[in-house]
Structure formats: structure tokens, C-alpha cells
Amino acid sequence: MRFLRVFSRLIPWLLALGLAIAFYSYTKDEGTAEKDMAIFHTLVLEKMEAIGKMELVRYNFKEITELNESLAEFAGLKFFESSIVLISKGEAVGCVDLSKIRGEDVVIGGDTLYITLPEPELCYYKLDMDDTKIFSLTTATFSDNKTFIQKAYRLAEKEIEAAAYRSGVLEQTKNNAQLTLRPILETMTSKTVILRFRSTMELSAPTLQKPR
């Protein structure tokens, strides 16, 4: 009987000790989870920054560029006229600069990773000088032939830029990001990845837990 009385007195203390241990374990696990999440969040950003500009679409163009220029004009008549016709090939590449991703652009919600990407951009456009030929060239007396030819090359290159935008290079870059970049990120993070772009991000985005 004496043992039962002593044990009954110890029950409240044992319960208090048990609750204290449970609370310590819970807070310890929570702290570890937040720490792990922060490390995971930083790791994702570092890997993206290491990738930098990711090329997602390449357009190849073949075009004919014609340039006419005169040194003088009088009464509607042109004098000392130079003309050139180029047959050229070139390329334009669309990409997403992953190094521009900010901490707030990466949000974790359970098993899903929401990433807001910067807007796609035209990384570069250029002529293939090995496959660009002068089809015809007529230069006027007293004209600077070298400067005139270089101007034609620059015009042909600018036409490649314009053709890339007309062909929807930025929209295609967005589409290819979903097809190419998302599987890479899912493999990297072992989470379901939802990609969005800054200008088209949903106004009613769900409230999610941000890594600390």
C-alpha cells in the first residue's frame, strides 16, 4: 500500500516529465526541418546560378539583304550610288538567365517547389560569316567600300534579330522551359516543380511556406 501511495504521488511528475520530453523533441524536429529547408533552398539557388543563362531555343535563318546608298541626290536623281546584295545565314538563341532568380522566387509548399523565372530573353543573334556571301556589289566612285559592306552586314544581322522576334522566340523559350528545365529541376530537387514567369505570374498565387 505504501508503494502505491508513493507511486500515485509520482504520477503528476512523471506526466510533466513526459510532456517536457515530447515538447523538446517536437521543437528540435521543427528547428531541424527549418534548417534543412533553408539549406535546400540555398542549394537550389546556387545550382541555378551555376547554370546561368540556359539556352532553350535556337532559330536558324537564311535571308537576302539588299542595301542601296547614294552619295548625292538632286531633283529625285541619285548620284554615286552603291548597292550590295547579301545572301546570308544566321542564328538567334532564346534563353532564361537563371542567375537572376531571387530568394523570394523559390517557394516550397509540401512536396511542390514553385519557381518564378525571369522573363525569357534573346541571348544573342549573329551571322554565320562562313556561310554569308556577297551576291552582287556595285560601288560608286569616291565611296568607302569597306564601310559600305560592313553596314550591309550589320543590317543583315539586325534583320535576324527582327525575324527572331517575329517568329515568337520568347514564347517558344517559355514553352521549352517547361519541357526542358522543369524535368531537370525535379531531378535536382526530388520535388514536383511548378514554373511561372514574372510577368505572367498568377495574381492569386496560393499562400505557401517560404524557407527561412
Side-chain angles (χ1 to χ4, degrees):
M1 296 293 293
R2 182 179 179 182
F3 172 77
L4 292 176
R5 287 196 300 271
V6 173
F7 182 75
S8 64
R9 291 176 181 176
L10 290 175
I11 288 177
W13 295 101
L14 292 173
L15 289 174
L17 179 62
L19 289 173
I21 293 173
F23 178 76
Y24 172 77
S25 299
Y26 174 78
T27 54
K28 182 179 179 182
D29 292 341
E30 284 292 304
T32 303
E34 290 182 359
K35 183 178 179 182
D36 290 344
M37 187 176 293
I39 292 173
F40 169 76
H41 173 253
T42 303
L43 182 62
V44 171
L45 288 179
E46 287 179 349
K47 286 188 176 182
M48 287 182 181
E49 288 175 355
I51 294 173
K53 288 188 176 182
M54 186 172 187
E55 298 181 3
L56 293 165
V57 61
R58 184 188 307 273
Y59 284 176
N60 295 304
F61 297 97
K62 184 175 182 180
E63 62 184 12
I64 298 175
T65 302
E66 184 176 356
L67 176 63
N68 298 291
E69 189 174 75
S70 59
L71 297 180
E73 184 173 352
F74 179 75
L77 298 176
K78 295 180 180 180
F79 299 92
F80 307 108
E81 187 173 20
S82 298
S83 64
I84 186 173
V85 176
L86 290 179
I87 298 178
S88 59
K89 287 186 178 181
E91 64 182 21
V93 172
C95 69
V96 173
D97 191 350
L98 300 179
S99 65
K100 293 181 180 178
I101 294 179
R102 306 162 301 194
E104 58 268 30
D105 293 330
V106 181
V107 180
I108 300 172
D111 292 331
T112 303
L113 183 65
Y114 296 84
I115 300 177
T116 302
L117 297 175
E119 280 299 288
E121 57 189 80
L122 187 61
C123 282
Y124 65 86
Y125 53 92
K126 64 180 183 179
L127 288 177
D128 181 355
M129 298 305 296
D130 292 332
D131 211 356
T132 296
K133 309 296 181 184
I134 298 176
F135 179 73
S136 69
L137 173 64
T138 302
T139 55
T141 308
F142 310 119
S143 65
D144 186 342
N145 296 346
K146 184 177 180 180
T147 300
F148 178 67
I149 293 172
Q150 289 299 321
K151 186 181 293 186
Y153 280 124
R154 288 195 298 270
L155 177 60
E157 197 167 58
K158 292 298 290 182
E159 287 179 351
I160 287 176
E161 178 189 23
Y165 284 119
R166 287 196 304 269
S167 300
V169 62
L170 299 184
E171 191 61 32
Q172 190 60 50
T173 301
K174 285 185 179 182
N175 294 338
N176 286 6
Q178 300 290 347
L179 297 174
T180 304
L181 184 56
R182 187 165 56 84
I184 293 175
L185 293 173
E186 287 181 340
T187 300
M188 181 190 302
T189 62
S190 299
K191 290 182 177 289
T192 299
V193 173
I194 303 297
L195 296 181
R196 297 173 292 187
F197 290 87
R198 283 177 189 161
S199 69
T200 55
M201 184 175 176
E202 296 177 2
L203 296 178
S204 58
T207 301
L208 302 170
Q209 180 183 5
K210 290 188 177 180
R212 298 179 182 178

Coordinates of all heavy atoms in Angstrom, one line a residue, residues 7 11 26 34 36 39 59 62 78 82 97-98 105-106 116 126 128 146-147 161 164 169 172 192-193:
F7 N 3.8 5.9 -5.5 CA 3.7 5.9 -6.9 C 2.7 6.9 -7.4 O 2.8 7.6 -8.4 CB 3.4 4.5 -7.4 CG 3.3 4.4 -8.9 CD1 4.4 4.4 -9.7 CD2 2.0 4.3 -9.6 CE1 4.4 4.3 -11.1 CE2 2.0 4.3 -10.9 CZ 3.1 4.2 -11.7
I11 N 3.0 10.2 -10.1 CA 2.4 10.2 -11.4 C 2.4 11.6 -12.0 O 2.7 11.8 -13.2 CB 0.9 9.6 -11.3 CG1 1.0 8.1 -11.2 CG2 0.1 10.0 -12.6 CD1 -0.3 7.4 -11.0
Y26 N 9.7 17.7 -30.2 CA 8.9 18.4 -31.3 C 9.7 19.7 -31.8 O 9.9 19.9 -33.0 CB 7.5 18.8 -30.8 CG 6.7 19.6 -31.8 CD1 6.1 19.0 -32.9 CD2 6.6 21.0 -31.6 CE1 5.4 19.7 -33.8 CE2 5.9 21.7 -32.5 CZ 5.3 21.1 -33.6 OH 4.6 21.8 -34.5
E34 N 13.3 23.3 -40.4 CA 13.5 24.6 -41.0 C 15.0 24.8 -41.5 O 15.2 25.4 -42.5 CB 13.2 25.7 -39.9 CG 11.7 25.8 -39.6 CD 11.4 26.9 -38.6 OE1 12.4 27.5 -38.2 OE2 10.3 27.1 -38.3
D36 N 17.0 22.4 -42.5 CA 17.2 21.6 -43.7 C 16.5 22.3 -44.9 O 17.1 22.3 -46.0 CB 16.5 20.2 -43.5 CG 17.3 19.4 -42.6 OD1 18.5 19.7 -42.3 OD2 16.8 18.4 -42.1
I39 N 18.7 25.1 -46.1 CA 19.9 24.6 -46.8 C 19.4 24.2 -48.2 O 20.1 24.4 -49.2 CB 20.5 23.4 -46.0 CG1 21.2 23.9 -44.8 CG2 21.5 22.7 -46.9 CD1 21.7 22.9 -43.9
Y59 N 17.0 29.4 -83.4 CA 16.4 29.6 -84.7 C 17.5 29.8 -85.7 O 18.4 30.6 -85.5 CB 15.4 30.8 -84.7 CG 14.1 30.6 -84.0 CD1 13.2 31.6 -83.9 CD2 13.7 29.4 -83.5 CE1 11.9 31.5 -83.3 CE2 12.5 29.2 -82.9 CZ 11.6 30.2 -82.8 OH 10.4 30.0 -82.2
K62 N 17.9 32.0 -93.1 CA 18.6 32.3 -94.3 C 17.8 33.4 -95.0 O 16.6 33.4 -95.1 CB 18.6 31.0 -95.2 CG 19.4 31.2 -96.5 CD 19.4 30.0 -97.4 CE 20.2 30.2 -98.6 NZ 20.3 28.9 -99.4
K78 N 19.6 60.1 -108.1 CA 20.7 59.7 -107.2 C 22.0 59.6 -107.9 O 22.1 59.0 -109.0 CB 20.4 58.4 -106.5 CG 19.1 58.5 -105.6 CD 18.8 57.2 -104.9 CE 17.6 57.3 -104.0 NZ 17.3 56.0 -103.3
S82 N 25.8 53.2 -104.6 CA 26.4 51.9 -104.3 C 25.3 51.0 -103.9 O 24.3 51.4 -103.3 CB 27.4 52.0 -103.1 OG 28.5 52.9 -103.5
D97 N 17.8 33.5 -68.0 CA 19.0 33.7 -67.1 C 18.7 33.3 -65.7 O 18.1 34.1 -64.9 CB 19.4 35.2 -67.2 CG 20.7 35.5 -66.5 OD1 21.3 34.5 -65.9 OD2 21.3 36.6 -66.7
L98 N 19.1 32.1 -65.3 CA 18.7 31.6 -64.0 C 19.5 32.3 -62.9 O 19.1 32.2 -61.8 CB 19.1 30.1 -64.0 CG 18.3 29.2 -65.0 CD1 18.7 27.7 -64.9 CD2 16.8 29.3 -64.8
D105 N 11.8 34.1 -55.1 CA 11.3 33.4 -56.3 C 11.1 31.9 -56.2 O 10.6 31.2 -57.0 CB 12.1 33.7 -57.6 CG 12.1 35.1 -58.0 OD1 11.0 35.8 -57.8 OD2 13.1 35.6 -58.5
V106 N 11.7 31.4 -55.1 CA 11.7 29.9 -54.8 C 10.8 29.7 -53.5 O 11.2 30.2 -52.5 CB 13.1 29.4 -54.6 CG1 13.0 27.8 -54.3 CG2 14.0 29.6 -55.8
T116 N 9.5 31.0 -59.7 CA 9.2 32.1 -60.6 C 10.4 32.5 -61.4 O 11.4 33.0 -60.8 CB 8.7 33.4 -59.8 OG1 7.5 33.0 -59.1 CG2 8.3 34.5 -60.8
K126 N 23.4 36.4 -84.5 CA 24.6 36.6 -85.3 C 24.5 36.0 -86.6 O 23.7 35.1 -86.9 CB 25.8 36.0 -84.5 CG 25.8 34.5 -84.4 CD 27.0 34.0 -83.6 CE 27.0 32.5 -83.6 NZ 28.2 32.0 -82.9
D128 N 26.3 33.9 -89.6 CA 27.4 32.9 -89.9 C 28.2 33.4 -91.0 O 27.9 33.3 -92.2 CB 26.7 31.5 -90.3 CG 27.7 30.4 -90.5 OD1 28.9 30.7 -90.4 OD2 27.3 29.3 -90.7
K146 N 34.7 49.6 -97.9 CA 34.7 48.8 -96.7 C 33.6 49.1 -95.7 O 32.9 48.3 -95.1 CB 36.1 48.9 -96.0 CG 36.3 48.0 -94.8 CD 37.7 48.2 -94.2 CE 37.9 47.3 -93.0 NZ 39.2 47.4 -92.4
T147 N 33.4 50.4 -95.5 CA 32.4 50.9 -94.6 C 31.0 50.5 -95.1 O 30.1 50.1 -94.3 CB 32.5 52.4 -94.4 OG1 33.7 52.8 -93.9 CG2 31.4 52.9 -93.5
E161 N 17.7 39.5 -85.9 CA 17.1 39.9 -84.6 C 15.5 40.1 -84.8 O 14.7 39.5 -84.1 CB 17.7 41.1 -84.0 CG 17.1 41.5 -82.7 CD 17.5 42.9 -82.2 OE1 18.0 43.7 -83.1 OE2 17.4 43.1 -81.0
A164 N 13.7 36.9 -85.5 CA 13.5 36.0 -84.3 C 12.3 36.5 -83.5 O 11.5 35.6 -83.1 CB 14.8 36.1 -83.5
V169 N 10.2 34.0 -80.7 CA 11.3 33.3 -80.0 C 11.1 33.3 -78.5 O 11.4 32.3 -77.8 CB 12.7 33.9 -80.4 CG1 12.7 35.4 -80.0 CG2 13.8 33.2 -79.7
Q172 N 8.4 30.8 -77.5 CA 8.9 29.4 -77.6 C 9.9 29.1 -76.5 O 10.0 27.9 -76.0 CB 9.6 29.2 -79.0 CG 10.0 27.8 -79.3 CD 8.8 26.9 -79.4 OE1 7.8 27.2 -80.0 NE2 8.9 25.8 -78.7
T192 N 8.0 18.0 -57.0 CA 7.2 18.4 -58.2 C 7.5 19.9 -58.4 O 7.4 20.7 -57.4 CB 5.7 18.2 -58.0 OG1 5.5 16.8 -57.8 CG2 4.9 18.7 -59.1
V193 N 7.9 20.3 -59.6 CA 8.2 21.7 -59.8 C 7.2 22.4 -60.7 O 6.8 21.9 -61.7 CB 9.6 21.8 -60.5 CG1 9.9 23.2 -60.9 CG2 10.7 21.3 -59.6

